[in-house]
Amino acid sequence: MAAMKATGQLVGTRPVIFLGVDGSWRETGALEWAIQESVLRGEPLSIVHVIDERLRKTPYLTPATVDGQAMELIQQVRSELPAADHGASHLAKTVIGHPATTLAALAEGSRMLVVGRRGIGSFQRLLIGSTSEALANQARVPVVVVPDRWKPPRGAVPVIVGIDDSPQSEAAIDFAATAATERKVPVRLVHVWDLPNVYSWEARSFSDIEGDLAEHAERRVAAIADQWGHKYPDLEIQTEVRRSHPVRGLLEAADEAGAQLLVIGGRNRSRAASWLLGSTGRGVLHHATCPVAIVHEPRTD
């Protein structure tokens, strides 16, 4: 595969799929999902285990012990890799640094970054590891977070992409449409809406407002589907509009469909944004039973 600069950016034009692994890699479905994506795209994997630099400074472990355990882990991962049949070999290695920052930098310029939901070095009681959530915010490439023990679904179940009233869904829809095309399944645009809080306590008295909002949501999703149908004429584009809390609605839509993948957009990437992943993204990442892709819009500065 292409060589890497010290910054982690790829040299040359060969796209790769990055995969971050840690000691819980056997329990997560991240490796299996990344292998599937590698086969579908005909692109090699670049697998990285980040040795947390803080572990090498603890009084209970020597650097040699930490590094030795890391090398053993990466050898185990290598043994699970199939032979690459697309003209390039998979790469698996260890590096030293802060897990989230290092992985985000190494994945720069890659096709996507795949991690397990449990995270790297996280407490198992957490639904999502701190590293996984940090990567969903920091990485400029799409980040796919795979839940524990994920297995490929059976049948032509759709790829789902959540859309809202913001203009920041373009990159997410494009990612979802590409994933659906690879898998030869439909892509489903799901829009979840609800009455604003000011109306919620007397929503039944505002049936006209509710009807207007529902009609607006239907028109918006239909227009988006029409727009993307011209770009992907051979792709089946489905639409679904739900009234619910955004997190609950997206999770229920994905569960009911047995979704291949749930794609959501991040916030616009500008230096002024202190928290790039909104509450909907965080909620979906914590509770989804299928892989979730976080796809931010390109930076504007």
Side-chain angles (χ1 to χ4, degrees):
M1 63 173 288
M4 287 185 176
K5 297 179 181 178
T7 59
Q9 292 184 340
L10 300 176
V11 178
T13 58
R14 180 81 187 197
V16 298
I17 298 165
F18 254 80
L19 170 66
V21 295
D22 74 342
S24 66
W25 69 272
R26 292 187 185 277
E27 285 72 43
T28 72
L31 176 61
E32 189 169 1
W33 194 93
I35 290 173
Q36 180 196 64
E37 190 68 12
S38 171
V39 172
L40 287 170
R41 289 182 179 261
E43 296 170 0
L45 295 175
S46 183
I47 302 169
V48 179
H49 171 62
V50 180
I51 303 172
D52 194 326
E53 56 193 0
R54 294 166 294 186
L55 287 178
R56 303 175 87 250
K57 299 175 182 179
T58 63
Y60 309 105
L61 296 170
T62 66
T65 298
V66 173
D67 295 351
Q69 292 174 347
M71 286 304 301
E72 181 178 353
L73 182 153
I74 214 68
Q75 290 294 345
Q76 292 171 352
V77 173
R78 283 179 181 145
S79 70
E80 299 293 326
L81 294 175
D85 58 1
H86 34 59
S89 299
H90 303 305
L91 173 67
K93 67 176 185 178
T94 63
V95 296
I96 299 172
H98 183 277
T101 303
T102 303
L103 277 175
L106 287 172
E108 187 80 18
S110 68
R111 181 73 71 189
M112 68 187 73
L113 171 60
V114 183
V115 292
R117 184 163 69 185
R118 187 173 300 189
I120 299 174
S122 62
F123 295 102
Q124 291 189 12
R125 64 182 174 83
L126 297 178
L127 291 172
I128 181 171
S130 58
T131 297
S132 302
E133 186 168 326
L135 284 168
N137 284 279
Q138 294 179 22
R140 296 195 185 191
V141 301
V143 176
V144 179
V145 180
V146 185
D148 284 4
R149 304 191 184 282
W150 172 85
K151 295 297 179 184
R154 296 181 179 180
V157 294
V159 171
I160 287 180
V161 54
I163 57 176
D164 56 22
D165 287 324
S166 76
Q168 299 171 12
S169 299
E170 295 284 314
I173 297 173
D174 196 43
F175 187 92
T178 299
T181 300
E182 292 169 353
R183 291 161 173 77
K184 298 180 173 58
V185 300
V187 65
R188 183 174 300 173
L189 311 180
V190 176
H191 177 63
V192 183
W193 69 277
D194 203 355
L195 286 172
N197 289 336
V198 67
Y199 301 123
S200 60
W201 66 278
E202 52 180 350
R204 293 181 181 179
S205 301
F206 284 87
S207 58
D208 53 340
I209 295 176
E210 181 179 358
D212 288 344
L213 289 174
E215 184 178 348
H216 169 76
E218 293 282 359
R219 286 200 307 266
R220 171 170 169 75
V221 174
I224 294 173
D226 183 64
Q227 171 192 345
W228 285 89
H230 291 294
K231 186 172 182 179
Y232 290 88
D234 298 325
L235 176 63
E236 180 184 348
I237 300 179
Q238 303 172 349
T239 62
E240 181 177 345
V241 176
R242 289 174 175 248
R243 180 186 168 188
S244 181
H245 183 278
V247 174
R248 183 184 303 112
L250 287 173
L251 293 175
E252 289 177 350
D255 285 344
E256 290 170 13
Q260 301 258 353
L261 177 68
L262 173 56
V263 184
I264 54 178
R267 295 182 179 178
N268 187 276
R269 286 200 169 281
S270 66
R271 292 176 185 172
S274 59
W275 191 249
L276 294 169
L277 192 61
S279 59
T280 298
R282 294 186 70 206
V284 168
L285 278 178
H286 276 262
H287 300 290
T289 58
C290 68
V292 175
I294 304 294
V295 185
H296 293 287
E297 293 294 313
R299 288 189 75 114
T300 56
D301 54 7

